[in-house]
Amino acid sequence: MFTKKFEKILRITWFIIAFFLTIYLGYAMWKDNAEPLPHILIFTVTALLGYVCVNVLVYRSPIVSNLLGMSANIGEIYTHLLFGNVGMACSNLYYFMTHVFGLILWTKKKNQDQEGKIKVSKMNQKALVCTILFCIIGIILMFFLGDYFFKKDSPPYILLLNCIAFMIGVSAQFTMIMRQPFSWVLWSVSNLVWLSLNLISHNYIFAVQSILYEINALVGIYKWYTDSDN
């Protein structure tokens, strides 16, 4: 079992690594003229916002996590569209909408514990139906409008990976907003798919982010399952 001191050291170390790797990769892109400076700044700021967001989500912050999530999602939508990963962009659109819902749901006193953190909870059937419909509509749009969404020279597996990333990401976000520990298991799987797409599209800042998100997801699995037993 993690001690509070160990958790604090882990969080600080994780943040330091995330910060300096992101800054370094952004600098490397600027030095190599890989992208225009405004794009690099968007990638960098978005990645850093994402790191703070997922970390406070692990520790079940009801307000800051959702506000940071919405801020990061705007940059992520733009970035993923720029790199041709439409499935991931659609996922982030869903994340943004559900963070708004989460901000309303999680700030209710009945959904918070004595420390003001969100409680682990049961599934909401109506929200589940809406999420399934969102997934179906998203997959249909990507399948029939693939020629418009994706680059013409993109191999077929890019569409498949984007569809998988979209479905797993939406499922992970839904279960998280519903305050389910299993959400972090889905995030763990999702990060591996994101890593593949980011490497294929040469989005290295977000590829490194996927690796660090994976570490955060493993901590999230431990923390949320442990807290759900309390």
Side-chain angles (χ1 to χ4, degrees):
M1 182 176 293
F2 292 163
T3 64
K4 289 186 177 181
K5 183 177 181 180
F6 178 80
E7 286 184 21
K8 186 176 181 180
I9 293 173
L10 179 62
R11 291 175 72 184
I12 292 174
T13 304
W14 186 84
F15 267 123
I16 291 173
I17 293 172
F19 178 82
F20 282 105
L21 276 177
T22 302
I23 297 299
Y24 169 77
L25 290 169
Y27 170 75
M29 291 181 71
W30 172 76
K31 187 177 179 181
D32 296 338
N33 293 317
E35 291 286 341
L37 181 58
H39 287 178
I40 296 172
L41 292 175
I42 291 173
F43 304 159
T44 303
V45 172
T46 298
L48 292 176
L49 283 172
Y51 287 130
V52 181
C53 174
V54 297
N55 191 271
V56 294
L57 278 169
V58 165
Y59 291 89
R60 299 180 289 127
S61 169
I63 299 177
V64 177
S65 59
N66 284 296
L67 292 177
L68 285 170
M70 287 185 281
S71 301
N73 290 153
I74 294 172
E76 288 167 348
I77 292 170
Y78 177 83
T79 302
H80 291 312
L81 286 176
L82 191 66
F83 281 90
N85 292 319
V86 181
M88 296 170 74
C90 290
S91 299
N92 279 279
L93 175 61
Y94 176 84
Y95 302 164
F96 181 89
M97 294 187 296
T98 50
H99 272 306
V100 176
F101 176 72
L103 188 61
I104 298 171
L105 181 68
W106 291 5
T107 51
K108 293 181 179 180
K109 292 297 182 182
K110 65 178 183 179
N111 294 328
Q112 298 178 7
D113 60 19
Q114 294 180 347
E115 297 180 359
K117 297 180 180 181
I118 58 167
K119 295 178 181 177
V120 177
S121 182
K122 297 180 180 179
M123 196 68 70
N124 183 303
Q125 292 183 351
K126 290 182 180 179
L128 176 59
V129 172
C130 291
T131 298
I132 293 173
L133 289 175
F134 190 92
C135 280
I136 293 173
I137 293 171
I139 295 298
I140 291 173
L141 285 175
M142 278 188 282
F143 182 78
F144 286 103
L145 300 178
D147 292 338
Y148 176 77
F149 282 148
F150 299 100
K151 297 177 182 179
K152 292 183 179 180
D153 58 346
S154 297
Y157 64 81
I158 294 297
L159 172 60
L160 177 61
L161 283 174
N162 270 273
C163 288
I164 293 173
F166 174 73
M167 290 187 64
I168 299 177
V170 166
S171 301
Q173 178 74 358
F174 166 74
T175 50
M176 187 189 68
I177 294 299
M178 291 295 104
R179 310 188 309 264
Q180 297 293 304
F182 184 67
S183 64
W184 290 104
V185 177
L186 292 173
W187 282 128
S188 179
V189 177
S190 181
N191 290 329
L192 300 178
V193 182
W194 291 356
L195 175 61
S196 300
L197 279 169
N198 285 321
L199 288 174
I200 291 170
S201 61
H202 306 293
N203 185 359
Y204 297 119
I205 288 181
F206 277 45
V208 169
Q209 185 189 60
S210 298
I211 296 172
L212 289 166
Y213 272 8
E214 181 66 16
I215 297 172
N216 187 76
L218 295 176
V219 175
I221 292 171
Y222 170 80
K223 287 291 294 179
W224 279 45
Y225 273 105
T226 300
D227 293 341
S228 67
D229 294 333
N230 294 334

